[in-house]
Amino acid sequence: MFKIRYKSHHDVGNIISKFTQNLKASKDDFLDLLNTENKNKQLGIYFHIPYCDKICSFCNMNRKQLDNDLEEYTKYLCEEIKKYGAFKFCQTSEIDVVFFGGGTPTIFKKEQLERILKTLNENFKFAKDYEMTFETTLHNLTFEKLKVMEENGVNRISVGIQTFSNRGRKLLNRTYDKDYVVERLKEIKKRFSGLVCIDIIYNYANQTDEEVLQDADLLAEVEADSASFYSLMIHDGSDISKEREKDKSIYIYSLERDEELHNLFYSRCVEKGYKLLELTKLTNGRDSYKYIRNNNGLKNLLPIGNGAGGHIQDIGVYNMNQQMSFYSKTSEINHNLSMISGLMQFDKFDLEEIKKYCDDKIYKIIYKRLQEFEKEGYIKIENNFAIYQLKGIFWGNSLVANIIEEIGRHL
């Protein structure tokens, strides 16, 4: 059925763009919106910190290696927080999600982190059940920084472990060996009352069954509240891609091996008490990952920082740098396709919810395709829910993309 495997939700977004066109918007449109009342009160904030002190071999993200102490960027973020906090929209909002991504957000000094977080708390009102996440590496996260973060409202951290394997860690240019990583994570769990989540990469060069199973066993041993798991993607510009250009035998991709390792990791995690939260995330039941739920539901997200993107209602914003931002207005078709795609990202999705974003003709097309997926073992339709099966979890974004392309052909 599938000629292409779509590895991520971002690829699905590119497919949506093929069939839709967002309208132009201006900075004035955005500011006019910010000067209005936020009637539903929901607002999230995304901070982008495009700096690392060590570049992972697989990374080509919008980041650069640190060459100063980030004092200028700290001042910039604090000024942006104060600026946006003064708008009526933000003053009538309750923050339900804050996400510090990057880059490595914990690259700031302890004092800088404290200033940023205090400024945030002074200028915005938080919902009672808010989630505030920092992405981090182990070597950047000192216990002093962790204490400051928790004292200022951070209740979730996402640690880029990638793998516990010593061989794999060397390949991916990670700091510390397996034993230190395990002990450090256990100590973080003792000292931090919030959620401790980790990232795992599988299917790196010559990864063995034992290595992928060890990753599953150790994430359970350290009691990670959730794990995002991704197949290694070799992006143009990353160190691994440059090495492969020199020697094509360094990494030969096999789809069959990718699926095999994925299923080994997933099944072992389920044995250890984890369950699927989202197509690429497993949880022990504590983590609900509100940030991704909000994004998939197209909820308000204010972007702050160089490289940050988000949207307020139907106005999209992308900050190229401190001087330049781009704005667009989301079309109805784009909104509906994005909502359908977002609903399909989780362990199961409600068909009644899908109906809200399409007419009867399109829904019949979707349902017919879902029935085909069921026959092939990707999903199970039960009580008006589509539930991913093991095979479907691996192929999930391909299934989503297939649905979006089918809808697009009938628009």
Side-chain angles (χ1 to χ4, degrees):
M1 181 193 296
F2 305 105
K3 295 180 180 179
I4 302 174
R5 179 175 177 213
Y6 298 96
K7 291 231 178 206
S8 76
H9 194 33
H10 299 292
D11 297 320
V12 178
N14 292 335
I15 294 169
I16 291 173
S17 298
K18 285 198 316 184
F19 299 109
T20 64
Q21 186 173 7
N22 282 330
L23 308 172
K24 288 184 179 179
S26 67
K27 181 177 182 179
D28 286 342
D29 295 328
F30 181 59
L31 295 179
D32 286 345
L33 188 52
L34 288 179
N35 279 313
T36 65
E37 179 185 352
N38 182 5
K39 292 183 179 179
N40 76 6
K41 298 193 180 305
Q42 182 279 324
L43 180 62
I45 305 177
Y46 174 74
F47 290 90
H48 192 69
I49 316 301
Y51 300 98
C52 299
D53 58 3
K54 186 175 184 179
I55 303 299
C56 303
S57 61
F58 54 87
C59 186
N60 75 335
M61 299 292 284
N62 186 353
R63 84 288 179 269
K64 57 185 178 181
Q65 195 149 4
L66 184 68
D67 56 7
N68 60 53
D69 68 359
L70 286 182
E71 183 58 27
E72 181 184 333
Y73 200 67
T74 301
K75 290 179 180 177
Y76 165 66
L77 291 183
C78 289
E79 289 168 0
E80 290 290 282
I81 292 167
K82 292 175 184 176
K83 178 183 79 176
Y84 285 116
F87 281 99
K88 185 175 182 180
F89 191 93
C90 297
Q91 290 177 345
T92 55
S93 298
E94 292 184 357
I95 305 300
D96 60 346
V97 163
V98 179
F99 196 96
F100 285 82
T104 308
T106 51
I107 198 170
F108 290 105
K109 294 177 181 177
K110 174 174 69 75
E111 295 77 17
Q112 293 169 332
L113 280 172
E114 188 170 30
R115 280 162 51 202
I116 292 167
L117 291 169
K118 282 187 179 298
T119 305
L120 179 62
N121 281 284
E122 288 166 358
N123 287 273
F124 286 88
K125 182 170 71 173
F126 283 75
K128 289 182 180 179
D129 59 347
Y130 77 91
E131 172 189 280
M132 192 189 306
T133 300
F134 260 76
E135 290 186 332
T136 185
T137 60
L138 277 183
H139 76 275
N140 282 121
L141 186 64
T142 65
F143 292 132
E144 292 77 19
K145 288 181 183 180
L146 188 63
K147 185 172 185 288
V148 163
M149 288 158 61
E150 183 165 10
E151 287 175 347
N152 288 278
V154 177
N155 56 16
R156 186 178 182 275
I157 59 172
S158 179
V159 189
I161 299 302
Q162 318 313 350
T163 182
F164 291 95
S165 159
N166 287 331
R167 187 186 70 84
R169 293 186 65 77
K170 183 177 180 181
L171 179 72
L172 300 175
N173 197 27
R174 309 307 293 164
T175 307
Y176 308 132
D177 65 10
K178 176 191 72 178
D179 293 340
Y180 182 88
V181 169
V182 169
E183 291 309 310
R184 185 78 171 185
L185 284 171
K186 288 180 178 179
E187 188 63 26
I188 288 171
K189 286 285 291 185
K190 289 178 184 176
R191 292 174 181 244
F192 182 63
S193 65
L195 301 175
V196 178
C197 311
I198 67 174
D199 288 347
I200 293 291
I201 285 178
Y202 70 91
N203 200 28
Y204 50 80
N206 303 312
Q207 186 179 25
T208 64
D209 290 1
E210 291 74 22
E211 284 173 322
V212 81
L213 290 172
Q214 176 183 254
D215 282 346
D217 290 342
L218 289 178
L219 78 87
E221 181 180 321
V222 301
E223 299 180 337
D225 292 301
S226 68
S228 296
F229 62 113
Y230 309 93
S231 170
L232 177 65
M233 297 179 68
I234 299 180
H235 298 284
D236 291 343
S238 67
D239 289 346
I240 290 181
S241 74
K242 293 172 184 176
E243 289 298 317
R244 191 171 65 169
E245 285 176 10
K246 298 175 186 174
D247 182 355
K248 299 294 184 183
S249 68
I250 283 180
Y251 181 76
I252 301 172
Y253 179 76
S254 163
L255 180 61
E256 292 75 17
R257 182 59 176 162
D258 195 328
E259 185 172 10
E260 191 175 57
L261 289 169
H262 171 280
N263 292 348
L264 274 174
F265 178 81
Y266 174 83
S267 298
R268 180 59 69 90
C269 286
V270 170
E271 288 175 16
K272 296 289 182 178
Y274 287 79
K275 61 181 181 180
L276 190 70
L277 174 64
E278 186 251 353
L279 286 174
T280 57
K281 184 173 286 290
L282 291 150
T283 177
N284 61 6
R286 291 188 68 204
D287 186 22
S288 60
Y289 202 10
K290 290 180 183 179
Y291 172 70
I292 201 67
R293 287 188 177 277
N294 279 14
N295 282 359
N296 285 331
L298 302 184
K299 293 190 175 182
N300 293 320
L301 185 70
L302 178 67
I304 297 179
N306 299 344
H311 60 92
I312 302 296
Q313 294 180 8
D314 63 347
I315 302 292
V317 187
Y318 177 74
N319 300 324
M320 177 66 74
N321 52 47
Q322 294 181 29
Q323 290 77 39
M324 184 181 297
S325 296
F326 298 101
Y327 305 89
S328 63
K329 187 170 183 178
T330 304
S331 66
E332 183 180 0
I333 295 174
N334 188 297
H335 176 270
N336 290 341
L337 291 181
S338 296
M339 286 300 298
I340 291 171
S341 170
L343 288 166
M344 292 181 68
Q345 291 297 311
F346 298 99
D347 56 333
K348 62 180 181 179
F349 51 95
D350 188 342
L351 300 185
E352 289 299 319
E353 288 294 311
I354 297 286
K355 284 182 181 179
K356 294 179 181 179
Y357 304 102
C358 58
D359 58 26
D360 290 342
K361 174 190 169 185
I362 295 296
Y363 180 74
K364 287 177 182 177
I365 291 168
I366 293 172
Y367 192 76
K368 182 180 178 183
R369 185 51 53 93
L370 291 175
Q371 287 179 313
E372 292 172 3
F373 293 164
E374 185 176 37
K375 287 179 183 176
E376 297 190 30
Y378 295 106
I379 63 171
K380 183 178 181 181
I381 300 174
E382 193 174 83
N383 298 324
N384 224 30
F385 276 84
I387 305 164
Y388 284 105
Q389 305 301 291
L390 179 60
K391 183 179 178 183
I393 295 167
F394 176 76
W395 287 100
N397 277 303
S398 287
L399 302 179
V400 178
N402 191 274
I403 290 281
I404 297 301
E405 287 184 322
E406 187 66 14
I407 296 171
R409 284 193 285 269
H410 291 84
L411 290 176

